[in-house]
Amino acid sequence: MLKLCAVVLLLSGVALAAHDYDGYKIYDINARNAFEKQLLLRLSANEEYDFFDLPRSLDAPSRVMVKPADQEGFEHLLEKYNVDFAVVSEDFGVALRQEHEENQNQRLMNLRSAGRSISFTAFHRHAEINAYLDELAAAYPSRVSVQVAGKSYENRDIKTITISNGDGKTGKNVIFLDAGIHAREWIAHAGALYVIHQLVENFAANSELLKNFDWVILPVVNPDGYEYTHTDTRMWRKTRKPISSACYGTDANRNFDFHWGEVGASSYSCSDTFKGESAFSEPETQLVRDLLLSLTGRGKFYLTLHSYGNYLLYPWGWTSALPSSWRDNDEVAQAGADAIKSATGTKYTVGSSTNVLYAAAGGSDDYAFGVANFPVSITMELPAGGTGFNPSTNQIQSFVEETWVGIKAMAQKVVEKY
């Protein structure tokens, strides 16, 4: 009953985000040649345009959100250069209101079912996710432990869950998975929760993944930003520590101290890709750094979940050059892509971050590989839903199941190799 009352209060206190995105349009742009791709790359540097996806390949469209005041000029520019585009959402605000209503209804239904704190029919709040971790630790004490790894800037508990097979052996190799470094990528958090569910609550089917490896999972790297996407600005990406009176937050995935700030990150503090006032300026990135370094030697596979784009990316992000051991990463990533293609038909693109997308320094994957010495370090960009970052609640289950197919195949490859 206490849980019921608490969550009802949480649900009743949540209004639609204050930033409603009314009149915002979302465009798909089909660049047909290198010149048009370069034009889009230049446009992406304009802070007024929010590029959701900017692939290097000519085979895939770029997607961008534009506010009402800038739409006429944006369309005129594309028409001037004869760039092909289509409007995929005439009013993003309408889609977000529908998403909000569906998610609230599904969370309430989950509450009434009196089961776990989370389900895979709704996107859950940070407190519900932490409650789920604690429930698992209480229900499976021989195989699960939960730690408060640190605090966010706004003093929220950032929890990790460590999952073993319960044999009591220490010093095993480790797979470390995190999600939610970018606040608006809700399906990434759900994907991490489904991995936890499979390893803990479906242990019998997945016990081989835990025979010689422990898993450490951090499902919400950036809880302040994540909560802000629920209460105020759905497309918020960054952390929430103030930089100035006008600008808040840092792109946590540009804040790691490995070639920090060299390329693909902004020095403008209001930018969505702001690199931070210094490397590791954010308590959230400091926490991930400390976890990675604490696992040096034991850590064999770092996997960070993002959305969107159907990509399996490995180092480097700061240069188009490949590390000497790139084939080890490629083999693992290809195993994931092949498993997903075989199971569902969904195609994942595999390659180094810079060669598949564009260079962006200061990422957690480069740091895990280049500094913490994880031999395999992969960023998994989950599929788009809705207009990109906003899958409907009825897409969650299929998305996370498909994601697990790829993650399990990659983990099996790592277990074989190490």
Side-chain angles (χ1 to χ4, degrees), residues 79-385:
E79 289 165 353
K80 176 183 175 181
Y81 289 101
N82 197 30
V83 178
D84 180 52
F85 70 91
V87 178
V88 296
S89 177
E90 290 281 356
D91 191 337
F92 191 44
V94 172
L96 289 184
R97 277 190 287 277
Q98 181 179 352
E99 171 197 81
H100 176 84
E101 183 177 348
E102 287 178 355
N103 198 49
Q104 294 298 88
N105 290 340
Q106 287 294 334
R107 287 173 63 219
L108 189 56
M109 287 173 62
N110 180 60
L111 172 68
R112 288 171 175 160
S113 73
R116 295 276 188 223
S117 289
I118 63 104
S119 70
F120 299 102
T121 57
F123 294 105
H124 292 280
R125 300 287 291 274
H126 180 243
E128 294 166 342
I129 292 171
N130 276 353
Y132 175 60
L133 303 186
D134 291 338
E135 288 166 11
L136 294 179
Y140 304 95
S142 66
R143 294 193 282 113
V144 173
S145 63
V146 173
Q147 295 80 32
V148 177
K151 297 277 191 178
S152 69
Y153 174 77
E154 293 178 351
N155 207 39
R156 291 183 173 90
D157 284 345
I158 301 177
K159 293 186 176 184
T160 60
I161 182 169
T162 300
I163 305 166
S164 72
N165 68 354
D167 64 6
K169 294 180 180 178
T170 60
K172 289 183 179 180
N173 289 336
V174 171
I175 294 172
F176 177 41
L177 182 152
D178 69 32
I181 198 167
H182 288 148
R184 64 189 180 184
E185 299 170 7
W186 289 6
I187 194 65
H189 309 76
L193 289 173
Y194 194 73
V195 173
I196 293 168
H197 163 71
Q198 284 293 327
L199 293 173
V200 177
E201 299 185 278
N202 197 17
F203 172 73
N206 299 300
S207 60
E208 281 301 307
L209 298 177
L210 292 155
K211 184 177 180 180
N212 296 310
F213 275 75
D214 292 337
W215 290 60
V216 178
I217 300 177
L218 169 54
V220 189
V221 173
N222 177 14
D224 299 346
Y226 183 59
E227 283 298 298
Y228 193 68
T229 63
H230 282 273
T231 61
D232 194 282
T233 302
R234 175 63 182 86
M235 289 295 108
W236 188 259
R237 168 183 167 99
K238 301 188 289 180
T239 61
R240 288 295 301 161
K241 190 176 79 174
I243 308 302
S244 66
S245 60
C247 300
Y248 284 70
T250 289
D251 183 343
N253 208 39
R254 303 291 188 276
N255 194 235
F256 284 75
D257 194 9
F258 187 77
H259 294 271
W260 174 77
E262 289 183 9
V263 63
S266 177
S267 298
Y268 173 48
S269 58
C270 286
S271 170
D272 269 353
T273 58
F274 177 54
K275 64 184 180 181
E277 295 176 292
S278 62
F280 292 125
S281 59
E282 308 306 288
E284 297 85 0
T285 57
Q286 294 168 23
L287 180 150
V288 176
R289 172 199 65 196
D290 293 346
L291 286 168
L292 288 168
L293 293 177
S294 74
L295 295 171
T296 294
R298 295 172 59 209
K300 303 303 180 185
F301 181 23
Y302 171 63
L303 179 63
T304 181
L305 302 186
H306 289 247
S307 75
Y308 67 91
N310 294 50
Y311 304 119
L312 285 161
L313 307 171
Y314 49 79
W316 300 112
W318 67 275
T319 175
S320 60
L322 295 173
S324 60
S325 60
W326 70 271
R327 287 182 179 83
D328 294 334
N329 283 265
D330 190 76
E331 182 183 4
V332 173
Q334 289 288 357
D338 291 346
I340 291 172
K341 183 72 181 297
S342 177
T344 66
T346 299
K347 181 180 184 296
Y348 267 73
T349 300
V350 174
S352 79
S353 299
T354 299
N355 290 304
V356 171
L357 301 175
Y358 290 94
S364 65
D365 50 359
D366 275 8
Y367 186 85
F369 185 78
V371 179
N373 296 322
F374 279 65
V376 179
S377 181
I378 291 174
T379 294
M380 187 175 193
E381 297 273 2
L382 276 61

